[in-house]
Amino acid sequence: RRRLIRWCNEPYFLTAIKNFYVRIGIGRDNKTQKACYRLCKIDGIVEKDPYTFPASEGQSAVTTHKWLLVSFGKQKREFKMLTVSDHRPTVDDVTKYVGHLKNERGSHTLLTKKKANKLRKKQDELVNNYTYTKEDIEMLVKEKKKRNKKSANIGLEKTRVAISVRAAEDNVKEVEKQLTDAEVARMEAENESSEMIADENVNELKKALEEANNNLLEAKAEQSRIMKEDEERSNKLKQNSKIQNWDKVNQRAKLANQSADFAAYKEQQAREKAEGSSEPKFDPYARRKVKPKNLWEVKGAKSDEAAEATVEEEKKEAGPLGERDDPNATKEVDKENKRDDNPDPQKQDLSAQTNQFAYDDDIMIGGDIANLAGIGVKKTTTRIRQGISLEDYQSRKAAGTL
């Protein structure tokens, strides 16, 4: 029985115990009132109502829903593993089992020593060297959740179950849509071969739809179980006197804190009124006061007049040098240009000997480079950035002269 308790929830349990023998208690003798046992052969496992093994030294309580399907000759019956004896079979038990098999005259073969050693060796190798796969781990987790009805984190379980229910509903809708399309394709089949393929597809989708509906029902059943568990837990907490007392203590502490905060605030207000501190306190997070600064002024009436006056002054200054109304002056200028186009070869030799990048002092007038043609000196002016008003912008935009 110790081995059954240790292996009952493992994925290799059926393979490890099948064709082995157990000593099962069937009650008490009517005359002697002693416990009666029968040596039976394990034929399989049946899943039925769960039960729990009592806790023992060094081992906690184990819950399982697996029952043993045992046979005593031709007779078969299901027993809980709780009824299995924890001791070895006696000689009387073995004699009764062998005599029963001989009396039935069936096809049952007796267990030999060689076969028993082979079964034991195979069992030890399986149990000691078993490697858990991903499917085994998922199955163990699923069975553990089924056995443990109470959830440790009820909020997490509610979220998980809601997601699983939604996924199952979407799966059902998807399979129903595929089934409808397959039935339409079967109706539109042109020949027998395509109709046979469509029939197979429809049958497979029907099986898939049935499986999806079963998964949906399981998910909804688990959701209702968790909701019921949550409701029971909340009712239990409401009815618990100890928790209610602690709730009252917390409420009293909350009210005391609120009253203490209000009293402290009143004392602070009274102290501020007594000190007469009407000046605002320094706030490090307040916005700094900054005086606005105009980067440039929008062009208006006054700025236009000033700009015109500046242009007129520039014309007056450049008048004697840049403007020549005399027609003879124009002829002189042409002569000078021709003379410059045909330079003297002696002067060219002299200029080659001197620095080619030197400028004559007479050309520089007031820091400005004079025009080599002799027309005059153009004075450089600084550009003034000017804007326009909103009204001018809108009027120019409407007129198309922007």
Side-chain angles (χ1 to χ4, degrees):
R1 190 174 65 208
R2 290 192 299 270
R3 291 188 177 185
L4 295 175
I5 295 172
R6 193 163 59 247
W7 300 340
C8 63
N9 293 322
E10 296 293 338
Y12 54 81
F13 179 58
L14 178 60
T15 309
I17 66 171
K18 192 173 182 180
N19 296 326
F20 279 78
Y21 293 82
V22 288
R23 187 169 178 249
I24 294 185
I26 58 174
R28 293 186 176 275
D29 192 358
N30 294 329
K31 295 180 180 179
T32 60
Q33 293 298 320
K34 290 182 179 181
C36 294
Y37 294 93
R38 289 290 183 269
L39 187 64
C40 301
K41 182 181 178 181
I42 301 175
D43 291 335
I45 294 173
V46 180
E47 294 183 359
K48 296 180 70 174
D49 298 334
Y51 56 93
T52 305
F53 293 100
S56 58
E57 294 181 0
Q59 189 175 9
S60 59
V62 179
T63 304
T64 183
H65 58 280
K66 296 176 182 178
W67 293 44
L68 293 179
L69 178 62
V70 297
S71 62
F72 186 71
K74 294 182 179 180
Q75 300 175 2
K76 291 186 178 182
R77 191 176 172 185
E78 301 164 358
F79 287 94
K80 293 181 181 179
M81 286 182 279
L82 288 170
T83 59
V84 176
S85 174
D86 207 12
H87 297 279
R88 294 187 177 186
T90 60
V91 178
D92 189 19
D93 297 334
V94 177
T95 304
K96 287 181 181 179
Y97 180 74
V98 173
H100 185 73
L101 292 181
K102 288 180 179 181
N103 292 332
E104 283 189 346
R105 297 178 182 179
S107 60
H108 301 285
T109 57
L110 294 174
L111 182 66
T112 60
K113 186 177 181 180
K114 184 178 180 180
K115 190 175 180 180
N117 291 332
K118 189 176 181 180
L119 284 172
R120 180 61 185 273
K121 186 178 180 180
K122 185 178 178 181
Q123 185 188 64
D124 293 340
E125 289 179 357
L126 176 64
V127 174
N128 297 328
N129 301 323
Y130 186 79
T131 303
Y132 292 92
T133 61
K134 184 179 179 181
E135 291 77 12
D136 294 338
I137 295 172
E138 292 178 354
M139 184 187 68
L140 290 174
V141 172
K142 190 175 181 180
E143 289 182 354
K144 188 175 181 181
K145 287 182 178 180
K146 285 183 179 180
R147 291 193 304 269
N148 299 332
K149 294 184 179 180
K150 293 185 178 179
S151 304
N153 191 342
I154 196 70
L156 179 63
E157 292 297 322
K158 287 170 68 176
T159 305
R160 181 187 62 80
V161 172
I163 293 172
S164 63
V165 169
R166 183 64 180 272
E169 290 176 351
D170 294 341
N171 190 19
V172 170
K173 291 180 181 178
E174 182 67 21
V175 175
E176 288 178 350
K177 184 178 179 181
Q178 293 179 2
L179 181 59
T180 304
D181 295 340
E183 290 177 350
V184 172
R186 183 178 62 179
M187 294 172 64
E188 295 177 354
E190 297 179 355
N191 48 28
E192 294 182 359
S193 59
S194 59
E195 187 175 356
M196 290 176 62
I197 295 172
D199 288 336
E200 293 178 358
N201 192 14
V202 168
N203 294 330
E204 291 178 359
L205 288 174
K206 284 182 179 180
K207 293 179 181 178
L209 180 60
E210 186 178 358
E211 185 178 356
N213 287 325
N214 293 333
N215 294 334
L216 179 59
L217 292 175
E218 291 179 0
K220 287 185 176 180
E222 188 177 3
Q223 187 180 26
S224 61
R225 179 182 64 80
I226 291 175
M227 296 298 291
K228 186 177 180 181
E229 182 182 348
D230 186 20
E231 187 177 357
E232 290 177 356
R233 183 177 294 184
S234 61
N235 293 333
K236 185 178 180 181
L237 292 176
K238 289 178 181 179
Q239 295 175 1
N240 193 350
S241 59
K242 186 176 181 180
I243 294 176
Q244 289 179 357
N245 293 334
W246 278 113
D247 189 19
K248 292 178 181 178
V249 170
N250 292 333
Q251 290 292 337
R252 287 199 299 269
K254 185 177 180 180
L255 293 175
N257 291 335
Q258 290 178 356
S259 60
D261 293 340
F262 185 70
Y265 180 68
K266 291 182 73 174
E267 291 177 0
Q268 183 180 359
Q269 281 187 335
R271 187 166 55 253
E272 289 179 355
K273 287 182 179 180
E275 292 176 357
S277 58
S278 59
E279 298 180 359
K281 294 184 178 180
F282 174 71
D283 187 6
Y285 302 102
R287 185 183 292 275
R288 294 182 180 180
K289 294 182 179 180
V290 180
K291 186 177 180 181
K293 182 179 180 181
N294 293 332
L295 299 179
W296 65 80
E297 294 181 356
V298 178
K299 185 177 179 181
K302 295 182 179 180
S303 60
D304 293 342
E305 294 176 358
E308 291 176 358
T310 305
V311 172
E312 290 178 359
E313 291 179 0
E314 292 177 356
K315 289 182 179 180
K316 289 178 181 179
E317 292 177 358
L321 295 177
E323 296 179 359
R324 295 187 179 184
D325 297 334
D326 191 2
N328 297 326
T330 306
K331 296 179 180 179
E332 293 177 0
V333 171
D334 295 334
K335 291 179 180 180
E336 289 177 0
N337 292 335
K338 291 179 180 179
R339 186 169 59 251
D340 292 334
D341 294 335
N342 299 318
D344 192 3
Q346 295 179 358
K347 291 183 179 181
Q348 290 182 357
D349 296 337
L350 293 174
S351 62
Q353 295 175 4
T354 59
N355 189 4
Q356 297 179 1
F357 299 98
Y359 293 98
D360 195 8
D361 294 337
D362 296 337
I363 298 175
M364 299 297 295
I365 301 173
D368 295 333
I369 299 175
N371 193 349
L372 296 178
I375 296 174
V377 179
K378 183 178 181 181
K379 187 177 180 181
T380 59
T381 57
T382 305
R383 181 182 177 185
I384 300 174
R385 185 176 181 180
Q386 296 180 353
I388 60 175
S389 62
L390 182 62
E391 295 178 356
D392 294 344
Y393 171 77
Q394 291 178 351
S395 61
R396 290 183 185 181
K397 185 177 180 182
T401 58
L402 185 62

